[in-house]
Amino acid sequence: MTPSIGDMEPAEAESVYFHEYPPPKALPKHEALARAFIDLHVEANRRVVLVTSGGTTVPLEAQTVRFIDNFSAGTRGATSAEYFLEQGYAVIFLHRQYSLLPYSRHYSHSTNCFLDFMDEAPPSSNALNPDHGAIQVRDEYQDQMRDVLRKYRYAKQNNLLLLLPFTTVAEYMFELRALAKLMRPLGPSALFYLAAAVSDFFIPRNRMAEHKIQSSELPAHMQNSAVDSEEIYTGENENEPPKNRKKLVINLDPVPKFLHRLVDGWAPDGSMVVSFKLETDPALLVYKARTALQRYSHHLVIGNLLSTRKWEVVFITPDEPYERWIRVPKARRSKSISGSEEQVGLAEIKKGNQSGLAPEADRSQEYEGRDGMEIESLIIPELVRLHEKMIEKKQHGQ
């Protein structure tokens, strides 16, 4: 019996997986863009971070009509990229196509339509078209938009931000492996910030339907070997229920865990790898994050609960203090429809700390007077300090 990819050794699983899928059509173009971008910043002795962002799709057919997706809009990744740029990093932003992007997220992910920020100025008699006024930003949004625009222009004009899209989980894996290898000249100046919500399960190419999975029975003369009877679902809105009712049963395999290969096979020697662990059960968060750290040999796992991810995270590290909570002070927390403030601190309480708040995390005085604080504004400076310590150790041969 042929073993599944999940049962293979990492190097063997990598070989099988990447031979089973064709590389993305855009990969050569992305590699050329990334190579030039990385070479530029190696010469400038600038640190480069690869930020992955957004969710990955799992196609159900080779000619994809249906796919499995997740809720990620790329908020964490897009926001973090901006703060990395403020810290002087160049950013390769590997993102799900059409997910949130740095800077434009302020308007594409707003409760207002983008056009609500705009107005038409009164017509000018000197204008080429006197009936057409110039389009301008409304007065109340001028300062905010000017600040965002200046930061975006600076990043683009100085070639500090490279945007590369993906869609499927296979495309993501190809892009991640290629970019990690291209970043090798950066050495310890490379940082991997894996904020993408990568699918845990997929359908192997050799078991995937070639054509669209049909939602109803086909006449006998149209049935052929290309349509597997197990792939047919009989819908419930038929005039007359068919005699042989069938359901679509999908058999998914675990996506190979290549995160360890990133550390010991793809990434630059001495680079820092940071990954995320999202859970919904407070009792499991720290345990699962600690397990991920040990399994993949990453330098930091950032754990967060679905219900409190905008207000608190936990840094899980292999060195002391091992577990460190970072929280937005209560008075500075932005509103969240999906959030539950009652659960803030609950994951820490579950492990036995009845205070629910790590002493180093309460920074309400330091940030007094600021409203709607983004937790990424706390995460990224702390992460940069950890990266600096790693670089210093490498420079001193430790």
Side-chain angles (χ1 to χ4, degrees), residues 16-252:
V16 171
Y17 183 87
F18 287 104
H19 279 88
E20 184 171 346
Y21 289 91
K25 293 180 180 179
L27 186 61
K29 177 183 177 181
H30 290 178
E31 287 179 321
L33 290 170
R35 185 178 292 107
F37 185 85
I38 292 164
D39 288 346
L40 173 70
H41 296 298
V42 167
E43 185 176 350
N45 196 30
R46 182 177 288 111
R47 297 173 193 169
V48 177
V49 57
L50 171 61
V51 175
T52 70
S53 183
T56 61
T57 67
V58 177
L60 300 186
E61 307 116 339
Q63 298 186 52
T64 306
V65 174
R66 298 180 177 88
F67 55 85
I68 301 171
D69 205 353
N70 60 50
F71 79 97
S72 177
T75 306
R76 178 84 78 204
T79 307
S80 297
E82 292 182 24
Y83 288 107
F84 274 118
L85 287 163
E86 288 186 12
Q87 293 286 330
Y89 282 68
V91 176
I92 301 174
F93 191 68
L94 181 62
H95 65 284
R96 163 75 174 275
Q97 191 173 34
Y98 307 126
S99 65
L100 295 181
L101 297 176
Y103 303 113
S104 66
R105 71 180 176 93
H106 295 274
Y107 307 103
S108 61
H109 201 48
S110 170
T111 53
N112 295 331
C113 169
F114 178 77
L115 296 176
D116 289 336
F117 294 92
M118 314 299 291
D119 255 338
E120 185 177 4
S124 170
S125 58
N126 298 323
L128 186 61
N129 295 311
D131 293 335
H132 293 179
I135 301 300
Q136 62 186 25
V137 178
R138 295 178 63 177
D139 290 343
E140 61 264 39
Y141 300 118
Q142 287 278 341
D143 291 341
Q144 178 194 20
M145 190 169 284
R146 183 184 298 107
D147 181 56
V148 173
L149 179 62
R150 285 177 176 175
K151 291 177 180 178
Y152 172 74
R153 291 295 184 195
Y154 180 85
K156 294 296 289 183
Q157 290 170 1
N158 291 278
N159 203 11
L160 294 171
L161 177 62
L162 176 63
L163 306 176
L164 301 176
F166 65 83
T167 301
T168 69
V169 64
E171 290 172 354
Y172 172 83
M173 292 298 185
F174 271 98
E175 296 276 359
L176 177 62
R177 183 177 70 159
L179 292 171
K181 292 180 177 181
L182 287 172
M183 291 172 70
R184 286 174 179 172
L186 289 160
S189 293
L191 173 60
F192 294 84
Y193 186 82
L194 308 179
V198 183
S199 306
D200 290 318
F201 300 95
F202 79 118
I203 299 178
R205 180 84 174 183
N206 59 6
R207 295 212 317 264
M208 191 181 294
E210 176 64 26
H211 297 287
K212 175 191 172 187
I213 299 171
Q214 298 301 308
S215 60
S216 60
E217 295 281 8
L218 294 175
H221 71 278
M222 297 185 67
Q223 296 183 17
N224 57 58
S225 58
V227 181
D228 190 326
S229 62
E230 294 299 323
E231 295 168 352
I232 298 174
Y233 168 69
T234 301
E236 296 183 3
N237 296 321
E238 308 276 345
N239 291 330
E240 292 184 11
K243 296 178 182 179
N244 299 319
R245 297 181 62 82
K246 296 184 179 180
K247 294 182 179 180
L248 175 61
V249 178
I250 304 173
N251 186 12
L252 302 173

Side-chain angles (χ1 to χ4, degrees), residues 337-362:
I337 296 175
S338 61
S340 174
E341 285 204 71
E342 293 77 14
Q343 291 202 336
V344 171
L346 195 57
E348 195 172 10
I349 291 173
K350 286 286 186 182
K351 65 173 276 294
N353 180 354
Q354 297 302 314
S355 71
L357 183 64
E360 68 272 21
D362 187 359

